[in-house]
Amino acid sequence: MSLLIRNKVNLLVCDMAGTIINEKGLIYKAIGSTLNKLGYPSTNEDIKTWHGADKREVMYRHIKSHYKSPNNKYILAKVNKAENLLITELEQKYFEDNNIELIDNKLLDFFHNLRTNNIKVALNTGYPKDFQRKIINHLNLTKSVDTWISSEEVVAGRPAPYMIHQLMEQCEIDSVSNVAKVGDTINDMKEGINAGCILNIGVLSGADNKEDLAKYTNLIINKITDLNDTPAADNISLRALFKGLEI
């Protein structure tokens, strides 16, 4: 946490799945199976591009790519059907089968320590906003964070910077030089870069690997709670990508 304090971070924007939530990679499997059911098979290379992106945008682009001259009304109807199937499957797997948990049992203490040190905590996601709210309620996160936003609520999801800028407005943060982004995907890191965040922190608890994340991060850690001051410094690799970064 001293890294955040030294760099005058007042807002930590956290991705959800793979960063603060362990959902065992089910989201990408569910998107793939949903698209396959509708006759739009995907490859491993396709799936890699989905990491951290708005789920509806992912399905729209994938379905559209299967047509040489797509009729947008037809495509949107297919996307609506895909989104409904996806949410139904995820609700079953996440809530009824209980395949979702916090990434670390110390996460809520970590958030409490951040907020005690005047660092606000915000969540952002590529899930639809109603589903995001269900996850937050299911894991009892409402009192442990300051605010949250879904990519459904902005013009475009990651890697566009709009969610971060909206969260800054909600938290009354004037400058991106006081904002850090943490996430498990390249799209998370690109979002932070596009928003102008002072720190972009990659975690290895989710979708993308160290080699891919390292191209876009200031810091790579095993999981978000490693930002706490712990003896686990050997698990942390630092890359100063911005002029004046204090590490």
Side-chain angles (χ1 to χ4, degrees), residues 4-243:
L4 302 178
I5 294 171
R6 287 200 306 274
N7 284 282
K8 299 180 175 62
V9 170
N10 299 131
L11 174 63
L12 181 65
V13 178
C14 309
D15 167 57
M16 293 182 64
T19 301
I20 69 161
I21 294 167
N22 179 16
E23 48 85 70
K24 306 171 181 67
L26 288 172
I27 177 58
Y28 304 114
K29 294 175 185 176
I31 293 174
S33 67
T34 296
L35 291 170
N36 193 57
K37 287 175 187 175
L38 295 177
Y40 306 105
S42 56
T43 66
N44 288 334
E45 285 304 308
D46 290 328
I47 293 170
K48 193 171 182 179
T49 68
W50 302 347
H51 293 172
D54 178 282
K55 308 312 179 256
R56 184 178 174 86
E57 289 177 14
V58 162
M59 293 187 292
Y60 177 83
R61 288 195 299 267
H62 188 80
I63 292 172
K64 186 178 180 180
S65 71
H66 283 72
Y67 297 91
K68 291 183 179 180
S69 301
N71 178 301
N72 201 52
K73 186 175 180 180
Y74 178 79
I75 298 298
L76 288 174
K78 289 288 187 179
V79 172
N80 289 338
K81 184 175 182 179
E83 187 171 43
N84 289 335
L85 288 172
L86 175 66
I87 295 302
T88 299
E89 180 173 347
L90 287 177
E91 287 185 343
Q92 169 74 40
K93 292 184 181 298
Y94 280 13
F95 308 133
E96 296 179 35
D97 297 343
N98 203 29
N99 278 314
I100 187 171
E101 61 188 359
L102 295 178
I103 208 78
D104 188 329
N105 58 17
K106 297 178 182 177
L107 180 70
L108 299 187
D109 289 336
F110 171 64
F111 283 168
H112 174 75
N113 291 339
L114 287 174
R115 298 170 83 197
T116 299
N117 283 278
N118 298 314
I119 299 173
K120 293 182 178 180
V121 178
L123 309 180
N124 73 344
T125 186
Y127 288 122
K129 62 180 181 179
D130 289 342
F131 192 64
Q132 178 190 34
R133 163 67 81 165
K134 289 180 181 179
I135 294 172
I136 289 169
N137 289 341
H138 182 76
L139 295 172
N140 298 313
L141 286 165
T142 52
K143 294 182 180 179
S144 295
V145 301
D146 293 279
T147 189
W148 54 83
I149 194 170
S150 160
S151 55
E152 185 179 76
E153 300 174 83
V154 293
V155 174
R158 304 173 186 133
Y162 306 126
M163 282 194 287
I164 292 177
H165 292 160
Q166 287 276 3
L167 291 169
M168 288 175 61
E169 183 176 353
Q170 291 175 25
C171 293
E172 299 182 346
I173 303 297
D174 295 333
S175 174
V176 289
S177 64
N178 300 120
V179 181
K181 174 65 201 282
V182 58
D184 66 302
T185 70
I186 291 173
N187 274 326
D188 284 300
M189 298 301 96
K190 287 182 176 180
E191 176 193 32
I193 291 169
N194 289 337
C197 295
I198 186 64
L199 288 171
N200 292 295
I201 303 164
V203 292
L204 301 178
S205 52
D208 285 333
N209 61 39
K210 184 175 182 179
E211 290 71 24
D212 289 337
L213 289 171
K215 301 169 186 176
Y216 305 97
T217 57
N218 306 107
L219 168 69
I220 299 173
I221 53 181
N222 286 336
K223 58 183 182 297
I224 187 172
T225 48
D226 286 344
L227 283 170
N228 251 329
D229 295 327
T230 70
D234 290 344
N235 294 328
I236 298 176
S237 61
L238 297 170
R239 295 181 73 236
L241 298 182
F242 291 92
K243 184 178 180 181

